[in-house]
Amino acid sequence: MLELKNIFCGYNNVDVVKDISFDVKRGENICIVGPNGCGKSTLLKAISNLISYKGDIILDGKNIKDLKRRDLATKVALMTQSTNILFPYSIYDTVALGRYAHLKGVFSKLSKEDKEIIHNSLEMVGLYDIKDKLISELSGGQLQRVFLARAFAQSPEVILLDEPTNHLDLRYQIEILHYLKKWAKDNNKIVVAVLHDLNLVQSFGERALMLKEGKVVNVGVTREVLNSKDLEEVYGIDIKEFMVTTLEKWK
């Protein structure tokens, strides 16, 4: 289980996230929703231990503050919307980077088990057949699938997603979320996703955490959270009415 207890965090001594508590069980996913600036990405950085925070974040009974950076990298993977390419590695070599936290030393070579995990990660996202292609030659959708495979190859207990489907066409958005949901269920893992598109949240999320100004407004089963009166209060618009009206135009 992943459990957050009374988390406060932010930047320059100003708390963006204020007293947030929730938990996620294994095999489950939770979507974090709310308007821009409400603390969604900041919360993911705290779970990744990339920024300092007050409170406790417990993973399988261990406080992540007590874990070394290398050990944390074997347990938590963060996937963002960034598609910046610093080096033109092949797809295979990029995904292989996910195994480095598991290696015994700097000069250690990939084991047979490591290679199997990389192979399976590429198969899961449908990229094994083009594994030797340079990532600089890929479309945005393919590149995001490479980064997802790298996260799978990391063999973490938790995958954190910060708008991973941003700028992707609908097909790739649906595919990526499908891969993640299946990965969590099949491997008894945890997914925590920040998503703006509430249609995708309804489709993908089992549970939802709704934030406003850094505080929890509602948390629970996705359908119940998104059908609550809190939705209009948080976003300042009757989103459900807008969605229903738009859907009618497809008939």
Side-chain angles (χ1 to χ4, degrees):
M1 179 187 289
L2 174 68
E3 187 175 7
L4 278 69
K5 300 179 180 179
N6 310 113
I7 300 300
F8 291 81
C9 58
Y11 313 97
N12 301 318
N13 296 316
V14 177
D15 286 330
V16 177
V17 167
K18 306 161 188 174
D19 198 20
I20 288 183
S21 299
F22 69 94
D23 60 68
V24 197
K25 295 180 176 64
R26 284 185 169 274
E28 196 173 62
N29 71 67
I30 188 169
C31 293
I32 304 175
V33 300
N36 290 336
C38 71
K40 300 186 298 294
S41 297
T42 302
L43 185 58
L44 291 192
K45 290 177 182 177
I47 300 173
S48 306
N49 208 15
L50 294 177
I51 61 173
S52 59
Y53 60 87
K54 290 171 285 187
D56 293 299
I57 300 176
I58 311 296
L59 178 59
D60 290 338
K62 295 181 180 179
N63 197 312
I64 67 167
K65 285 181 180 177
D66 298 331
L67 297 175
K68 295 179 180 178
R69 174 61 59 186
R70 186 185 184 92
D71 292 335
L72 184 61
T74 66
K75 296 181 180 298
V76 178
L78 174 64
M79 181 180 169
T80 70
Q81 58 183 288
S82 173
T83 55
N84 294 330
I85 299 175
L86 300 179
F87 301 100
Y89 292 139
S90 70
I91 291 174
Y92 185 92
D93 289 339
T94 302
V95 174
L97 291 173
R99 295 304 304 162
Y100 286 169
H102 295 270
L103 298 182
K104 302 298 183 183
V106 177
F107 300 105
S108 299
K109 293 183 178 181
L110 294 170
S111 67
K112 181 179 179 181
E113 181 185 4
D114 290 323
K115 292 177 181 179
E116 279 185 13
I117 290 171
I118 294 166
H119 179 118
N120 292 338
S121 299
L122 286 164
E123 289 279 10
M124 273 196 288
V125 300
L127 291 176
Y128 186 78
D129 290 343
I130 58 169
K131 66 183 186 302
D132 297 321
K133 196 170 184 177
L134 297 179
I135 60 172
S136 55
E137 301 172 356
L138 303 180
S139 67
Q142 288 175 318
L143 192 57
Q144 284 296 74
R145 282 192 284 162
V146 172
F147 293 149
L148 180 57
R150 184 177 65 186
F152 287 153
Q154 202 170 321
S155 299
E157 305 304 316
V158 181
I159 290 183
L160 307 174
L161 307 163
D162 191 0
E163 284 295 331
T165 60
N166 205 21
H167 306 305
L168 299 184
D169 64 42
L170 188 57
R171 173 191 169 188
Y172 286 125
Q173 291 179 35
I174 294 170
E175 280 187 359
I176 281 179
L177 293 178
H178 169 75
Y179 294 141
L180 285 157
K181 193 168 189 175
K182 187 175 188 303
W183 173 82
K185 292 296 182 190
D186 291 350
N187 299 282
N188 204 29
K189 306 286 188 176
I190 293 169
V191 174
V192 181
V194 168
L195 294 172
H196 273 299
D197 189 327
L198 298 183
N199 282 320
L200 290 177
V201 174
Q202 283 276 31
S203 176
F204 168 72
E206 294 168 315
R207 295 176 63 223
L209 174 76
M210 187 181 293
L211 302 182
K212 181 181 181 182
E213 297 176 355
K215 297 180 180 179
V216 176
V217 174
N218 200 337
V219 60
V221 177
T222 298
R223 182 174 180 82
E224 294 175 0
V225 171
L226 295 188
N227 278 280
S228 71
K229 58 181 177 54
D230 297 317
L231 188 66
E232 184 173 352
E233 178 187 333
V234 167
Y235 286 94
I237 183 176
D238 190 340
I239 292 181
K240 184 177 179 180
E241 176 63 26
F242 173 77
M243 296 288 191
V244 172
T245 301
T246 302
L247 185 61
E248 287 292 326
K249 296 181 179 180
W250 287 92
K251 294 181 179 180

